[in-house]
Structure formats: structure tokens, C-alpha cells
Amino acid sequence: MSDNDAKLRKGVESCFEEPDDIMNSPDALEKTKFRHAGVSTAFSILMRRRWDVICSTCLCMKLVISYVIISTEFQPVDSAIAQLARCVGYSLILLLLAAWFATVYHGPSRPSDGDYKHKELAPELAAAFSAGRQCRSGPRFDCKEEWCSICNHWKPAVASHCKTCNRCCFYMDHHCFVVGKCIGFKNLRCFLSLLAWGQAIHYYCSLAVLQRLAWQGLPAIQDHWEWGKLALWATLILHGIRDVGGRLRECLRPYQRGFRSRVHYRKFYNLYMDAVALSHEVSAQGLDAAHEQL
């Protein structure tokens, strides 16, 4: 390369380079810092919420499959009974979507929403929470309010912190990845409705598949497509009935024992197990003392 070509190339490259004083200026460094902080924050949120995205996508896929089953499985297709059955199935899907949006819209109710005021617990409830100081097999708890260093807000005794949402909520039951929200004081009934409609859709899809089998019988052995579709429908329906039914029982179990929150139910269950273990220890020591006296 000649000297003239080298000079020409150097001049062209200098046109696209920014001076060092501009690149190292305080404004440029501040913009770079904010840009990197924004990217790292977005990445951390995405990693923390990855299961929300995955489970919400799975819900959309299941709703599409349910729509296909309800639209194609009722036989004969043109009969009035099949059309009525399809309308009922579409209504169930709409009710499930309404329960999903209601669960997301209402939210669990959080102390940091701005409408929270310091209130004292009822004497019976305060006495029950005060017993949590003696818990040994699980995290200790108390009736007093605590300062949440992550939320930068006071956390009442009936509130719990969610690591996925990174916020506290009242009477937290659990964090639901399907709705991307915590289930708590305000949206628990909406979530139970969501589970009930989901279970109803699974049973209704199974009814549609069984009705088609009763009408047309089993497909031919050589028809691998129909057998594969039937196996897929059966797998999804049975898994959905088992999964949704199990979650519904888990949510209703604390209610059956007088608790409004699964988190509180686990705390007091650990306290109960500690009391049982302590009772056995006292009984064993009492028997040993009696044997020593004898």
C-alpha cells in the first residue's frame, strides 16, 4: 500500500472516530452507565420472571388446544346438539379468561400500594402470632410489624415477601406463574374461580373426546395420525385434570383448617409440629424420671 493510500484511509477512519475528550466526557460516561444499568436491570427482571413467561405461554397453548378439541370433537358436526355443546365450551373458555384477567387486575393487595395504615391486630390474632417466636423447625414470626429492606416499607405481621415479585403482599398464598402475580387477600377468590373453570374445561374436553369415540368408534389401526392425536388429547387432558385438581386442593386445604393464607398455614403447622415434638420430649423425660424414682 502506497503512502497516499495509507493517508487517505487514515483520513476516512478519522471521520468516523469520536475524539477522546467527547467519549470520556462526564455526560457520555453517565449515559453509558445508565444504559448498562438499564440492560442489567431488564435482564435480572427477565430472569426472575422467566417462569411467568413460560407458564403463561403454556396456558395460551392449552386454551388453543381446548378450543380445537371443542370445535372438532363433538359429532355429528352439523347437528344442533353439537353446536350447542360447542357454545357451552366456548363460554367456559371465556369465563376462564375473565377469571384470569380479574386475578391479574385485582392483585393480592400490598402494603406499599399507599392505602395501608398501621393497625393493631385483634388480641386473639396477636397472641397466636406471638407464639411464633418459639418456632424452631421453621422461620420465626411475630405479631409486630417489621421493616422490609427490599420493599423499603413496613411489613405487617399478616404480610409476606415474594421473591419473584420482589414485593410484600397481604395474606400471601403463593406466587402463581400462570398469572404472573402473587395470590393473596384480594385475588384469591378470583384465582379459585380460575382453577374451577380450568378444571371444568378439562372435563368438558374429555367429554367431547369420549362422545366422538362413542359416535365413530376407535380409528383404524393404519390411521397413525388419528391415534397420535387421540394420545395427545388424552395426555393433555389427564395431566391438566391432575395438575389443576392438585392445585385446587392445595389452595382449599388452608381454608378447611381456618387459614386465609398458605404461608400462614405452613408457619403455624411448623409451630404445631414443634409443640408435638416438645410434648413427646416432656413425656419421655417424665417417664425416665419415674423409672429413676422406681
Side-chain angles (χ1 to χ4, degrees):
M1 183 182 293
S2 63
D3 295 339
N4 293 332
D5 293 339
K7 291 179 180 180
L8 179 62
R9 181 176 179 179
K10 186 176 181 181
V12 172
E13 291 178 352
S14 64
C15 295
F16 295 95
E17 291 180 357
E18 295 186 6
D20 293 338
D21 56 347
I22 296 178
M23 293 296 295
N24 297 327
S25 62
D27 294 339
L29 293 175
E30 194 71 18
K31 289 181 181 179
T32 304
K33 185 190 299 183
F34 278 122
R35 184 164 58 250
H36 287 210
V39 171
S40 61
T41 303
F43 181 75
S44 62
I45 293 175
L46 181 61
M47 291 302 297
R48 194 175 71 242
R49 295 280 191 165
R50 63 187 183 277
W51 285 110
D52 293 344
V53 177
I54 295 173
C55 293
S56 299
T57 306
C58 292
L59 175 64
C60 295
M61 294 175 59
K62 282 191 174 182
L63 288 179
V64 171
I65 293 174
S66 301
Y67 177 83
V68 172
I69 293 175
I70 293 172
S71 301
T72 59
E73 294 299 316
F74 283 107
Q75 301 294 327
V77 179
D78 298 331
S79 64
I81 297 178
Q83 293 178 2
L84 178 61
R86 284 193 289 271
C87 291
V88 173
Y90 299 153
S91 301
L92 291 176
I93 294 177
L94 290 176
L95 288 171
L96 182 140
L97 289 174
W100 187 90
F101 281 110
T103 305
V104 175
Y105 173 76
H106 289 292
S109 180
R110 304 184 186 276
S112 56
D113 288 341
D115 56 351
Y116 171 70
K117 296 181 180 179
H118 295 272
K119 296 181 180 179
E120 294 184 358
L121 298 176
E124 297 82 2
L125 192 59
F129 273 90
S130 298
R133 304 170 188 169
Q134 311 300 327
C135 187
R136 296 184 297 177
S137 61
R140 297 185 178 183
F141 53 98
D142 198 356
C143 64
K144 298 180 180 179
E145 294 185 351
E146 298 178 353
W147 179 260
C148 182
S149 59
I150 301 176
C151 298
N152 291 324
H153 201 277
W154 284 103
K155 183 179 72 172
V158 294
S160 302
H161 185 81
C162 175
K163 295 181 180 179
T164 305
C165 292
N166 228 11
R167 297 177 66 187
C168 297
C169 69
F170 288 109
Y171 292 98
M172 178 180 174
D173 190 83
H174 69 289
H175 180 88
C176 180
F177 297 116
V178 174
V179 299
K181 287 273 188 178
C182 291
I183 307 302
F185 180 71
K186 284 186 177 180
N187 61 355
L188 180 58
R189 282 182 285 187
C190 298
F191 180 72
L192 292 176
S193 301
L194 173 65
L195 293 178
W197 293 124
Q199 193 75 323
I201 289 175
H202 284 111
Y203 281 116
Y204 202 74
C205 290
S206 64
L207 176 63
V209 174
L210 292 175
Q211 191 270 341
R212 181 181 180 182
L213 291 177
W215 181 265
Q216 296 181 348
L218 293 174
I221 299 178
Q222 298 81 5
D223 196 349
H224 302 293
W225 168 256
E226 288 295 331
W227 278 106
K229 187 174 67 173
L230 183 62
L232 177 62
W233 291 170
T235 302
L236 292 176
I237 291 172
L238 293 176
H239 177 267
I241 291 175
R242 179 179 177 274
D243 184 39
V244 177
R247 296 182 184 278
L248 188 59
R249 287 190 295 271
E250 287 179 2
C251 291
L252 291 177
R253 187 179 296 115
Y255 263 97
Q256 294 174 350
R257 290 164 173 78
F259 291 92
R260 294 290 303 273
S261 164
R262 197 188 310 181
V263 175
H264 293 162
Y265 169 71
R266 289 173 179 172
K267 288 181 178 179
F268 281 98
Y269 181 77
N270 292 333
L271 187 62
Y272 167 74
M273 295 305 296
D274 290 342
V276 172
L278 183 61
S279 176
H280 289 325
E281 291 177 4
V282 172
S283 299
Q285 291 177 0
L287 290 175
D288 293 340
H291 285 300
E292 290 178 358
Q293 290 179 0
L294 292 176

